[in-house]
Amino acid sequence: VNVDGKPIFVVRVTNEAPTGSIKLTKVFERVEGLHDEEVLQSGWKVTFKNDVLATYDGETVLHEAGEQYVNPDSEDGLFYANEDADLFMDDIYVGYGEGTTLNFEEAVYPKGYVQAEDFSVTFTKDDDDNKTKVIEIEREVENKVIRTDLEVVKKNQYTDEIAIGEEFGWAVYA
């Protein structure tokens, strides 16, 4: 109440900067007999690809290019997919100007599979957009089974001639 007895109203306005959210889905090539029922693990090292500038002044560097985005819920700082092979990251700070670009490098992947290629995602905000609260990105990444060609030739140990028409047994171990 002021000196005239009239109420004073205090209005607080908070500007909320949008955040980024990503859903990464891993798709594993399935081959009969290889990891049939096993839950396949994948873990990602995430780094900032660009300097991330504060939205409040456009100059303060909050994260430097090359800096690891550390998962506080993981002992090794990596981000891991769940049992459904989905990785979720929320509340990613969207920087001023260029926004925030994150680089994903697969650091943990199943034995017998090729490491997924690195990729980047960029979160940017349009300066005229004051309504978007969360910028969502979905990405699917596939791991392929390691393959190789094998040619077996049986030779006579004394003459070094190729043995044609003879039967023999063999096994391959990985």
Side-chain angles (χ1 to χ4, degrees):
V1 180
N2 68 10
V3 290
D4 296 335
K6 295 182 181 179
I8 298 175
F9 295 98
V10 176
V11 178
R12 295 186 190 268
V13 177
T14 303
N15 290 333
E16 291 184 36
T19 59
S21 172
I22 185 166
K23 176 186 177 189
L24 173 67
T25 301
K26 289 290 300 197
V27 177
F28 294 98
E29 178 184 17
R30 295 293 187 162
V31 174
E32 188 175 329
L34 179 67
H35 306 294
D36 284 337
E37 299 297 322
E38 184 180 342
V39 174
L40 300 177
Q41 184 79 3
S42 83
W44 299 85
K45 179 179 180 182
V46 181
T47 55
F48 293 95
K49 195 167 185 174
N50 62 316
D51 287 344
V52 178
L53 303 178
T55 56
Y56 54 83
D57 68 4
E59 295 177 5
T60 303
V61 177
L62 300 177
H63 300 285
E64 294 181 359
E67 177 185 336
Q68 183 174 352
Y69 190 130
V70 177
N71 180 354
D73 299 325
S74 169
E75 288 183 22
D76 57 10
L78 301 179
F79 289 86
Y80 287 90
N82 63 21
E83 62 276 352
D84 295 323
D86 292 324
L87 166 69
F88 297 95
M89 292 175 67
D90 296 313
D91 299 322
I92 298 166
Y93 186 86
V94 179
Y96 177 80
E98 296 178 15
T100 300
T101 300
L102 298 176
N103 191 57
F104 288 76
E105 175 188 344
E106 190 174 33
V108 176
Y109 52 97
K111 183 178 179 181
Y113 284 84
V114 177
Q115 179 182 16
E117 290 186 24
D118 297 356
F119 67 92
S120 298
V121 294
T122 300
F123 298 93
T124 57
K125 177 194 173 302
D126 183 357
D127 291 335
D128 297 330
D129 181 2
N130 293 319
K131 295 179 182 175
T132 301
K133 298 277 188 211
V134 179
I135 300 166
E136 297 176 338
I137 296 177
E138 291 191 22
R139 178 89 183 238
E140 189 173 281
V141 178
E142 184 176 15
N143 279 95
K144 297 232 180 236
V145 172
I146 294 173
R147 293 194 174 358
T148 185
D149 293 326
L150 176 66
E151 182 178 334
V152 178
V153 177
K154 183 175 181 182
K155 292 185 177 185
N156 182 304
Q157 71 178 1
Y158 302 109
T159 64
D160 206 30
E161 291 178 12
I162 296 177
I164 298 174
E166 295 182 33
E167 289 187 24
F168 63 96
W170 56 281
V172 175
Y173 300 95

